[in-house]
Amino acid sequence: MKVLATYSIKGGVGKTTSAVNLAYEAGRSGARVLVWDLDPQGAASFYFRIRPRVKGGTEQLIKAKGALAAHVRATDVPGVDLVPADFSLRHLDLHLDGTKRPTRRLAALLSPLDDEYDVALLDCPPSISLASESVFGAADALLVPVIPTTLSARTLSQLVRFLDEQPGSPLVLPHFTMVDRRKKLHREQLDALAAAWPAFLAATVPNASAVERMGVERAPVAAFAPSTAAARAFHDLWAEIASRLWPET
Amino acid sequence: MFTASDLSPADITAALARAGFEVARPQNVRRTLLDTFDGRLHAAGLRLEVREAPGVELILAGGGRGPAHVAAADVPRLAGHLPAGPFRARLAPVLDVRALVPVVTVTARHTEAVQRDGAGKARATVSVYDRLEVEGRHGVADLPAWAAEVGELAGYAKAADGARDLLVSLGLRPGTGDVIDVVATAAGIDLGGFAGSPTVALRRDEPALGAFRRVLANLTGAVEANWRGTVDDVDPEFLHDLRVAVRRSRSVLAQGKRVLPADVRDHYREEFSWLGSATGPARDLDVYAIEWESYVAPLGAQASAALEPVLEHIQARRKAEHAALATALRSERYRTLLAGWRTWLDDPAVNAGGGDSEGAIGQVAADRIGRAQDQLVGRGRAIEEATPAEELHELRKDAKKLRYLLECFGGLYAPAPRKAFVQRLKALQDNLGEHQDAEVHAGQLRAISAELYGTDGVGPHTMVAMGQLTESLERRRQSSRDEFAQRFAAYDTKQTRRALQEVLDSAAGPAQ
């Protein structure tokens, strides 16, 4: 199982949108996918129409190895399951702090499901905290959404600097989101950032009304608007990620 | 799976609708289970299904929590045709070079009913299949008129239980498996594939003639089973398995002196020798094509690209040799061989004719195995650094002969000691096989170089790369040769003799 995390220090950059749509594309491409909604807002759970509830609370979930399986819910997307979030996740840092090896805790919770899924996709809240370090300890790659603006690029630099200091850090795969090519600033930033960061994935997610409609439809974009530019972008993005993760095939 | 009730499918879907399920319009569906001829996916606990309704979807179940789904343009035949990514990554190591073939195809009318919660999220599904038919089989007597499946979704066990309770309350009878299992059982289709084991159940005290005939009949079954796939060149394993069954038959015939009637034995030794020779060139080129990547990859990308014309040449020759083999397998000589052989093997009037034919197979097999081991060790000990390569080839044949005897008469012995001994023998065989393949392929490459020299599209880069490849194969051959003494010494030990004695002293379990 490859563990991916949609992660950014900054909020509102499209982490959950990326997680939900990439999970859909991964499932459609023949992967068995587990989305783990780690954001107390539970937006990924909402998009998949799954009740945001961590049975027994986050503390119970974090405590026992093997506990994750009991929280898995099938989504309506074939091949995609989800562990829902709820508000008790706001204390994730606190509960992790009470465990023996907090930065390895999420990896330990995922390990019993290693043979059951091809991809685990962790949708993370915006922060840099103990929970983030536990995500870094579990993830093979961080999928980092970046809006082509100065502030968003700055948080990518901060993240990479932080990870450079950590041994065994995951691969960082940034990708552009909410791109509006009518804006000169976006066009300039796209060129400048892509030149400065060769790791940027080529596919860019546009700032599109189809993405905004996800909240109304409560489904990934391609499920209700498959021929839109946004749906194609997530499809291409996943194809790029998959070619990095399974290069031999 | 639920079947059998006085109700019609329409009654069932109406009852589901009354219980709050959303019932979709019925759709014709075609579900095909794919596996390799020898059932590798089944053995690995995997299940690959093609669902056409009307788009093509591949569904891979087993080895995890839920099935994986992927749309496909065509029905895949080889691992390389599967969608790239985890789907292919899971299947490719299991399939290896084997092709996917349809095991069973079910056509039906499918009506899906979905129970949803307040947010519109599916909690349970019920699929009702009617107008069931097995493609290619008419008049399957036990085929149910219709069947219903409950789809249990992870985390919604209670909803699935509720759907099952509803079906039971309507008078439906629960059973195991899904609609494909039910239909395959009714049609008598074994989803496990062709086992092709050379081992048959034997009793130590039974007369040798009958035991030899049963062993040979089993091997003939493998030849017959692999005939179609070899003729159609479906994948290289069909030819491999057919060839091995022929070689095993030849080995057992050779060991059948004073057991089998001399005229029968002489005639079929000659005929199986012809058949074995007919399979040789195509198999050599199959191995070449399979090993090609491992041969050229170490030479680098540039040399690999320069060697493309050589690969094309090998593929063209492989195709021609397969066509020649298909002609041989369709020939009158082949038909006469198989028909006559089957007639003799199945003839109840064949009686023991003296010699060892009435002796107990336990003793006869032990004698033959002991002799084969002595011959192998005797020849191996005589091999020195300067001994020509042909002697190693003969030694390889000796090793195969011993291995075939242990496999074909394996029904006399306990599996554990037999497996332990075969592991020792296999270590020696692997070394001899590597040596032989490198020797044959280097020789073939020299011949191909001569053929391609000066032809269109074969420039100096290709000729240089062929030189590199020949050298590389020569190094492989030499490395196997250098390793031989050590491998043989590891085999020619007291422990090996003891391990073989343990096999011969062991008794087959009650299942035998």
Side-chain angles (χ1 to χ4, degrees), chain A residues 27 32 49 74 115-117 249, chain B residues 63 65 69 84 88 119 121 154:
Chain A
R32 296 164 300 167
R49 301 179 187 226
D115 291 333
E116 306 212 0
Y117 294 96
T249 60
Chain B
R65 186 165 287 260
H69 298 248
R88 190 192 295 172
K121 165 79 187 70

Side-chain angles (χ1 to χ4, degrees), chain B residues 10 25 28 35 56 72 79 104 119 175 183 194 210 227 267 292 306 384 445 512:
Chain B
R25 280 181 53 200
N28 290 330
D35 205 334
V56 180
V104 57
V183 168
F194 180 72
W227 182 87
H267 175 68
W292 181 259
E384 295 169 346
L445 196 62
Q512 301 286 342

Side-chain angles (χ1 to χ4, degrees), chain B residues 288-477:
Chain B
Y288 217 143
I290 292 166
E291 294 295 333
W292 181 259
E293 198 51 44
S294 75
Y295 286 167
V296 301
L299 304 179
Q302 217 172 354
S304 293
L307 285 166
E308 273 301 309
V310 182
L311 179 60
E312 282 170 24
H313 184 80
I314 289 168
Q315 295 288 20
R317 275 186 54 187
R318 198 197 78 85
K319 206 172 163 189
E321 290 296 352
H322 267 272
L325 172 61
T327 304
L329 291 176
R330 286 197 178 102
S331 69
E332 190 54 40
R333 186 170 182 180
Y334 176 84
R335 275 199 295 272
T336 308
L337 158 59
L338 259 284
W341 186 228
R342 256 289 166 219
T343 304
W344 185 79
L345 289 170
D346 296 342
D347 184 358
V350 171
N351 290 316
D356 288 338
S357 64
E358 286 175 277
I361 186 60
Q363 188 55 52
V364 172
D367 287 348
R368 303 299 198 264
I369 289 168
R371 252 186 276 159
Q373 162 73 358
D374 290 346
Q375 189 175 337
L376 168 67
V377 170
R379 197 191 301 274
R381 284 178 185 170
I383 291 174
E384 295 169 346
E385 239 174 81
T387 305
E390 289 76 29
E391 268 307 283
L392 270 93
H393 183 47
E394 290 305 314
L395 187 70
R396 187 182 182 215
K397 287 191 200 166
D398 291 340
K400 278 189 174 176
K401 194 190 294 178
L402 176 57
R403 175 95 173 258
Y404 292 159
L405 279 170
L406 286 161
E407 288 168 345
C408 294
F409 294 99
L412 294 165
Y413 310 114
R418 192 158 61 92
K419 199 174 164 191
F421 177 77
V422 166
Q423 266 177 353
R424 289 173 170 273
L425 181 57
K426 192 175 173 295
L428 177 63
Q429 283 187 290
D430 287 347
N431 170 260
L432 294 167
E434 283 158 16
H435 180 268
Q436 173 72 5
D437 286 346
E439 171 95 9
V440 167
H441 291 159
Q444 282 177 336
L445 196 62
R446 279 190 284 270
I448 292 169
S449 296
E451 283 173 43
L452 290 182
Y453 182 71
T455 56
D456 283 350
V458 179
H461 292 307
T462 301
M463 296 312 289
V464 169
M466 283 175 89
Q468 283 178 282
L469 181 54
T470 313
E471 270 176 40
S472 158
L473 288 170
E474 184 51 38
R475 278 197 299 276
R476 273 182 184 231
R477 190 201 63 76

Side-chain angles (χ1 to χ4, degrees), chain A residues 126-141:
Chain A
S127 69
I128 188 144
S129 61
L130 186 58
S132 313
E133 287 184 65
S134 199
V135 167
F136 304 154
D140 295 296

